[in-house]
Amino acid sequence: MITKIDMNSAEFMAEFERTQAFSDKVCQQFSLTYTPLHDVKESIQQGLTRNKLIYGKRYCPCFMVIGNTKEEREKAGNRLCPCTPALNEEIPQNGACHCTLFCTPEHAHALAEEEQLKEVSHTHSQGLSKEACEALMHQKEIDADELEALLEARSRGIVRFNLVDTREWMEWAQYRIKGTDYLVPTTSFYDALAQLKGHEKTPTIVYCYSGSRSAYCQRVLKHLGYQTVVNLGNGIMSYNGEIESGE
C-alpha cells in the first residue's frame, strides 16, 4: 500500500523545517556542506521529511525502507540519516554521501564549477572562455551542446583540437558534423589512423552515430599514447549543430 503525504499540508511543512534544522546540525557536526545543486538538496530533504512522517525516523530516501514493523525495520539495517556508510566510506572516498546531500567543501566546490560549466556550454551564444574549454577537454565525455560550443570556440582560436568521425565512409559522405577534420572508420581504424600521425599531443574529439564505436576508438587511442581523447556521448544522432555532406 502506498502512503500518500500531502506536501502542502501544515504538518509536512512543519516537519520539513525540522528536517532542515536537523541537516544543518549534521553539516556543523561533521564539518560538511550541502550540495550546491538546490533541486537535489530540496528533494532529499523532502524525502527525509516524508520518511519521518511515515516511519518516525529519517531514513535515507535513496533506499527502499525494508520492514513492516519498527522491529523489522531496525533488524533490516535501513540507512538512517546521517548513515554510517556515508560517514565512514562514501564521503571520505568520494567527497559526498550516496544521495549527495552532504559533501565535503572541496567536492561541493567542484560540483558548483561543473554546473557552471554546463550552464555556459549549453547557452554558448557569448562563447566559451579558454578556461571553460580546457575544463571540457579534460572530461572523458561531452554532449552535443558542449561540442557545438567547442567548435565555435575553435573558430575563434580559443581552443585547438581534432574532430574525428569514426563511422564508415558512406555514413560520413551522407552527413557529418561541420568542422570534422578526419574520417577514421572503426573497421579500418589502424590503417586510417596514419592520417593522425604526429598529432598525438593534439587534443582529439571522436564521434560516431550513437557514441559506442567512438568510445571504443577512444580507448584504443589512449592506449596508443594520444594524450587527450574526448568522446561525444550519444554521437551525431544527438547533434543539432551544422551538418555537411558530400565526399
Side-chain angles (χ1 to χ4, degrees):
M1 180 177 177
I2 298 175
T3 303
K4 296 182 179 180
I5 298 291
D6 183 1
M7 294 176 61
N8 295 315
S9 67
E11 180 187 21
F12 184 90
M13 296 306 297
E15 189 59 50
F16 183 68
E17 289 185 7
R18 287 191 284 271
T19 295
Q20 289 177 312
F22 161 79
S23 51
D24 285 345
K25 290 181 180 179
V26 172
C27 286
Q28 294 172 4
Q29 181 179 354
F30 298 100
S31 300
L32 300 173
T33 188
Y34 288 122
T35 173
L37 310 181
H38 178 74
D39 290 345
V40 173
K41 173 187 173 185
E42 184 175 49
S43 176
I44 297 301
Q45 289 180 327
Q46 287 173 345
L48 289 169
T49 302
R50 181 179 182 278
N51 283 343
K52 177 68 172 177
L53 290 173
I54 296 174
Y55 304 109
K57 291 187 177 183
R58 295 187 180 92
Y59 291 116
C60 178
C62 295
F63 296 86
M64 181 184 298
V65 178
I66 300 172
N68 295 319
T69 66
K70 179 180 178 181
E71 291 73 20
E72 289 175 346
R73 289 192 290 271
E74 289 179 352
K75 289 181 179 179
N78 295 295
R79 286 200 181 200
L80 187 62
C81 186
C83 59
T84 300
L87 295 174
N88 292 346
E89 299 173 18
E90 294 166 357
I91 295 175
Q93 293 176 11
N94 306 320
C97 62
H98 178 84
C99 61
T100 70
L101 174 63
F102 301 119
C103 305
T104 62
E106 296 79 11
H107 186 77
H109 179 71
L111 278 178
E113 286 190 334
E114 182 178 337
E115 282 303 300
Q116 184 179 17
L117 178 60
K118 287 182 179 179
E119 182 178 353
V120 171
S121 300
H122 294 176
T123 56
H124 59 84
S125 59
Q126 295 182 350
L128 294 178
S129 66
K130 181 178 180 181
E131 292 75 17
C133 289
E134 290 177 350
L136 284 174
M137 294 304 296
H138 276 90
Q139 297 183 175
K140 182 179 180 180
E141 185 174 282
I142 58 174
D143 63 27
D145 287 335
E146 290 167 337
L147 174 58
E148 192 174 354
L150 283 167
L151 284 168
E152 189 276 335
R154 188 176 71 168
S155 70
R156 294 185 288 115
I158 302 299
V159 65
R160 179 170 172 254
F161 61 86
N162 287 322
L163 180 60
V164 177
D165 188 342
T166 66
R167 300 174 301 154
E168 300 306 303
W169 182 86
M170 291 183 66
E171 295 176 279
W172 178 85
Q174 185 178 10
Y175 68 99
R176 59 187 177 274
I177 295 173
K178 186 175 182 179
T180 300
D181 300 295
Y182 300 99
L183 171 65
V184 183
T186 305
T187 55
S188 55
F189 188 79
Y190 289 99
D191 290 334
L193 192 59
Q195 302 172 85
L196 292 178
K197 186 176 181 179
H199 290 271
E200 290 82 1
K201 293 184 179 180
T202 302
T204 302
I205 298 177
V206 291
Y207 74 91
C208 63
Y209 179 71
S210 65
S212 58
R213 282 177 287 176
S214 52
Y216 169 75
C217 294
Q218 178 189 36
R219 293 192 294 270
V220 174
L221 286 170
K222 294 288 288 184
H223 179 72
L224 292 175
Y226 286 77
Q227 295 182 359
T228 302
V229 188
V230 182
N231 184 38
L232 174 62
N234 297 320
I236 194 173
M237 69 177 186
S238 66
Y239 190 74
N240 294 316
E242 289 189 70
I243 296 294
E244 60 184 3
S245 60
E247 299 180 17

